[in-house]
Amino acid sequence: QVQLVGSGGGSVQAGGSLRLSCAASGNTARTNAMGWFRQAPGKEREGVGAIYTKYGSTWYADSVKGRFTISQDNAKGNTVYLQMNSLKPEDTAMYYCAAGLALNLEETVRDSFRDGYWDQGTQVTVSS
């Protein structure tokens, strides 16, 4: 089993920044990628991006490309970050991180990290 603990959500004004963290523990050898998703009230869950934890390569959804950055801190074990800049009110959502096995990051995100592991979610609210 893999346990994920997400943190860092909060409220910010439009144009501001937030950084989310997701720490993985347990049998992380079962995973090679971590991803971020979000779900706004009344909307379907949307994949934000993902990272191969061994190589550091990333994939982003068009809606966040250039504003959001996924990184990892290998010194802290399996911890990944989602740096969100130039936030917009439409970025308001519950944000989730996931971990799993990926052959292709984009496909794995679109498949919502099937058979993967998820955290409890953290709320991000952007006011205009």
Side-chain angles (χ1 to χ4, degrees), residues 47-62:
V48 173
I51 184 169
Y52 278 119
T53 52
K54 182 175 182 179
Y55 304 109
S57 52
T58 54
W59 175 88
Y60 298 96
D62 288 343

Side-chain angles (χ1 to χ4, degrees), residues 33-115:
M34 294 179 72
W36 290 95
F37 294 78
R38 65 186 181 183
Q39 187 166 20
K43 294 188 177 181
E44 291 189 355
R45 184 169 58 193
E46 173 190 18
V48 173
I51 184 169
Y52 278 119
T53 52
K54 182 175 182 179
Y55 304 109
S57 52
T58 54
W59 175 88
Y60 298 96
D62 288 343
S63 58
V64 305
K65 201 173 293 184
R67 299 189 299 123
F68 291 10
T69 303
I70 298 173
S71 61
Q72 59 185 354
D73 187 342
N74 291 326
K76 290 187 177 182
N78 293 295
T79 299
V80 297
Y81 304 97
L82 179 65
Q83 177 67 44
M84 304 183 292
N85 298 328
S86 303
L87 283 163
K88 307 174 182 179
E90 51 263 44
D91 294 318
T92 295
M94 185 72 79
Y95 282 70
Y96 300 90
C97 71
L101 283 174
L103 293 178
N104 178 285
L105 282 180
E106 180 176 358
E107 290 180 2
T108 301
V109 171
R110 296 196 188 286
D111 200 31
S112 294
F113 271 74
R114 187 186 303 184
D115 298 328

